[in-house]
Each structure stands twice: as C-alpha cells, then as structure tokens.
Amino acid sequence: KKEKMARPSSTLSGILAWFLLTFTAYRIFISTEGLSNNRIPNDQYEVEFLPHFKSNNDHKSAYNIQPYTSLQRQIRRQPPVLNNLRDLNESTLPAKCGIFFFYHIACTGGASINWWLGKEKDRNINTTTYWTDWGRHEGVEPRFIAGMDRQIDELQETLEKNNNKTGHWKIAHAHGFSFFTNSSEPHLLKWRDRIESMGCRFVVATMLRDAVGHTISQYKTNVKLNLTLDEWISHLHPDKYNEKGIFNTQIDYLLYNRGPRNRFRANNEEKIRRAMELLQRHFDIVLLSDYERFTKIVLKLTGWKGVDMRHHNSFNGPLNFTERELDMVRRFTEFNGDVGLIDAVRHVYYGHMHYLLE
C-alpha cells in the first residue's frame, strides 16, 4: 500500500520537474534569441525600437525627417560580439579630417572630457573647431540636428577650399536634450555616410561607468530638491516602468533621453540588447571610466597636440546611505537594465570573462 501511495507523488514530482525544466529552457531561449539571430524577436520589440519601414512616408512620419534609404540596408540585426564592433585601422591614423562626436551622459566624467576637448581645440586652433548646442528643455534636438548638418556642410566647404590638402577636425558635443540616439538613429547613419564620402572620419564616442555608482552620483542633484532617496528613485520601481523620473540612468538616457520612457514595456533584456545595438552600430569609442585611454585614442585618431585632462564638476559634499537604501539602488538599477548593460560592455568591449567562450 505504501508503494502504491508513493506512485502518484512520484508522478507529480516528475511532472513538476518536467515543467520547471521546460520553463527554464524557454526562458533561456527567449533571453538569448535576440543575440543569436539577425532579426527582431517580436512585433512589440520592433515597434518599440526599430519602427516598421514599409514606405518612405511611414519613415518620414515616424521621425519627422527626410527618408534615408541607407538605414534599410544597414538595419540588419547582429549579435553584439567582438568581431561586429566598429574598428579603427591604426595604419591610416591620424585621419586628415573628420567630426568627433562626443555623446555626453551625465555623471560619467563628461564635464572633464568636454573641458579637455575645448582645450584641444584651443591648442590646435588652426585645424580644429568646437561646437555644441544643448539644453534641458523640449525642442533642443531639432536645433541640434540642423546644427550638425551645418557642421558637415562647413567641413565640406573647408576641404573644397583647400583642395583636400589641409586636414580639419570639428568637435561636436551632445548633452542634455541634444540627441535621442534610439528614435533619431537614421541621422547617425546619414551623417556617417556624408562625412566618410569626403574621405574623413566620423568618430562617435561616449563614456560610461559602474551602474550603481552612476545612480548614486546622480543623487547629488537631490541636495537642492529635498527629496528622500525613495522619492527620488521611485520611477525605477518595477511597477513604474514607463514613468519619467527626475534623472536618467545610463541605459535610459541612451534609449530614451528625456522623451517617453519605455512605452511598450520592454524588459531589461530587450533594453540591453537595443542599447548594445546602438553602441555597436554607431559608436567608435566606448569606455568605462577610462579617461587616460580615452585621451590616447583621440590623440592617435586626430593627430592633435595633447593637453592633460583635469577633473571637473566633482561633488565634495557627504552622501550617506543606509544598507537598505544601497540595496534598493542596486535592485532597481539591475531591474532597469543598467547593471546588465555595464556587464555587457565589459564583456564586449573589454573582453571580460571572454575566456569562457573560447
């Protein structure tokens, strides 16, 4: 009798084990499908990140810009691995001309980099110009895009005036509401095509940092707002996935800037995939708090005479957190995709743990 009574229990355990294994395998498949196939996993993800391009009219209405057919031939999805990254052929450096586009994410040391770029312009004044147009209010992006178009026009005029013999570099600085990389991606493709057709380089660069440290660093802005940490970080709560907060995390700035946030409820895996796509497809320099390496790469690219980079915009006041608060920051940034993004950058751009795949 005891043996007969045990059979239903064994059968139930077997069914439960089969269900758990099947569910786990399905989750692994879903989490890796977008990285192993050159296509969008589902329609919702396509609408959120890569809009349908059925016709020129659809493209124009989606972005309110002139259709750019080059996007359709380059938009194929590729897994973010080392052999798909933009590369720099060192044998061709320094490049004779180009535009250095610095995408400045707040609280990543961008103020120091921007100061350094300004000093490089001053030291190389005969061959280099600096331009920026940014602000923290609506309507900045169309003005910035128009300004970038003018910068490229001016670069072409300079080359024609000098019969392509004299090199010239332009620095473009994007910050605040300047540019929404996700929704305005066609412009990056258009700019690159125009600049490279002149025989020049379009170098897009950004600096990132540890996700939790970045979120904590952003909290210094709360000193004047008199909010509790819970209030200040509340928009990162899982239930408020599409709510715009007082600040942007790194992945949210890269994907949404200060526009609508996560309208289609993309999970953190989908956000990481799209962020890595943007970095892989368009950014030539992606570093993690690596300022010395940043300056060396830029100087090698441009041939500028170098100056030292100084630390700017630092916060010297106290930032005190309880263990509960630090744990909340860690959990919320992990759920939002920021921790995973930095892990992915470490792996793809720095080869972190790459030996496991060999």
Side-chain angles (χ1 to χ4, degrees):
K1 290 183 180 179
K2 289 183 179 179
E3 290 178 358
K4 290 182 180 179
M5 291 177 67
R7 286 176 185 173
S9 177
S10 299
T11 302
L12 183 61
S13 298
I15 293 172
L16 181 60
W18 175 85
F19 173 78
L20 290 173
L21 286 171
T22 303
F23 179 75
T24 302
Y26 174 75
R27 288 300 299 156
I28 292 172
F29 171 76
I30 289 298
S31 66
T32 58
E33 183 188 25
L35 296 181
S36 59
N37 293 285
N38 291 329
R39 62 184 179 85
I40 307 303
N42 55 60
D43 290 339
Q44 184 184 63
Y45 182 57
E46 185 174 3
V47 171
E48 167 66 359
F49 291 132
L50 299 179
H52 298 278
F53 295 107
K54 297 178 181 177
S55 69
N56 285 344
N57 290 332
D58 288 345
H59 187 289
K60 185 175 180 180
S61 62
Y63 290 111
N64 194 28
I65 63 171
Q66 292 298 316
Y68 190 58
T69 55
S70 178
L71 179 65
Q72 298 186 39
R73 64 178 169 79
Q74 296 190 38
I75 209 67
R76 288 182 65 252
R77 189 177 189 86
Q78 293 181 323
V81 293
L82 294 175
N83 61 345
N84 283 332
L85 300 180
R86 300 196 59 80
D87 61 346
L88 299 171
N89 185 353
E90 294 192 24
S91 66
T92 64
L93 302 180
K96 69 170 185 177
C97 56
I99 292 184
F100 185 86
F101 186 101
F102 175 48
Y103 191 70
H104 178 178
I105 300 175
C107 294
T108 59
S112 300
I113 293 174
N114 190 41
W115 176 90
W116 179 77
L117 290 171
K119 291 299 180 182
E120 287 298 331
K121 181 267 297 183
D122 293 340
R123 184 159 188 183
N124 300 274
I125 193 68
N126 294 325
T127 59
T128 307
T129 61
Y130 174 95
W131 169 82
T132 187
D133 191 345
W134 71 276
R136 295 189 175 95
H137 53 83
E138 302 294 337
V140 174
E141 189 189 33
R143 194 176 67 205
F144 179 86
I145 290 170
M148 268 297 295
D149 288 334
R150 285 193 299 273
Q151 293 297 308
I152 298 173
D153 291 340
E154 291 174 6
L155 178 63
Q156 187 168 16
E157 292 170 3
T158 300
L159 291 173
E160 291 172 353
K161 186 183 299 183
N162 296 312
N163 295 318
N164 294 329
K165 294 180 180 180
T166 303
H168 189 80
W169 275 91
K170 285 181 170 291
I171 300 166
H173 170 244
H175 187 45
F177 288 34
S178 291
F179 191 70
F180 293 36
T181 56
N182 179 47
S183 59
S184 296
E185 184 180 16
H187 288 289
L188 290 170
L189 292 163
K190 179 184 71 174
W191 293 335
R192 186 173 294 279
D193 274 2
R194 285 194 62 195
I195 295 167
E196 292 182 351
S197 69
M198 304 176 198
C200 301
R201 296 298 301 256
F202 182 46
V203 181
V204 183
T206 195
M207 184 69 72
L208 301 169
R209 63 178 292 186
D210 169 73
V212 174
H214 177 263
T215 302
I216 290 174
S217 179
Q218 292 265 45
Y219 186 65
K220 66 179 181 286
T221 61
N222 180 57
V223 172
K224 297 179 181 179
L225 299 175
N226 197 29
L227 297 174
T228 66
L229 180 66
D230 294 61
E231 293 170 330
W232 178 79
I233 203 174
S234 63
H235 70 288
L236 296 182
H237 190 280
D239 293 337
K240 299 180 179 180
Y241 59 89
N242 63 347
E243 182 177 305
K244 285 201 296 184
I246 298 169
F247 74 99
N248 287 108
T249 65
Q250 293 173 106
I251 197 169
D252 282 351
Y253 186 79
L254 190 61
L255 295 179
Y256 314 114
N257 197 298
R258 295 300 292 173
R261 178 174 176 260
N262 202 7
R263 292 178 297 167
F264 298 94
R265 200 170 187 174
N267 63 32
N268 59 1
E269 293 171 355
E270 291 166 335
K271 291 170 69 174
I272 294 166
R273 288 192 194 105
R274 176 54 175 161
M276 290 301 295
E277 267 184 346
L278 288 169
L279 293 175
Q280 168 194 329
R281 188 178 291 153
H282 302 291
F283 285 73
D284 303 89
I285 302 173
V286 179
L287 295 171
L288 294 172
S289 301
D290 205 344
Y291 307 102
E292 182 178 357
R293 187 178 175 194
F294 183 94
T295 58
K296 288 181 178 178
I297 292 173
V298 175
L299 294 178
K300 182 174 287 189
L301 273 165
T302 59
W304 291 336
K305 299 175 182 177
V307 297
D308 293 334
M309 184 185 295
R310 298 179 183 175
H311 192 52
H312 285 261
N313 198 27
S314 59
F315 179 74
N316 298 318
L319 289 174
N320 300 314
F321 299 91
T322 65
E323 185 176 348
R324 180 197 69 82
E325 289 173 332
L326 285 174
D327 182 64
M328 179 176 62
V329 170
R330 181 193 58 78
R331 287 186 293 107
F332 281 13
T333 51
E334 184 171 2
F335 180 85
N336 195 54
D338 288 273
V339 173
L341 171 64
I342 300 305
D343 284 345
V345 168
R346 285 196 180 103
H347 170 67
V348 173
Y349 287 90
Y350 285 81
H352 180 61
M353 304 292 281
H354 193 65
Y355 68 90
L356 294 176
L357 302 179
E358 295 177 350

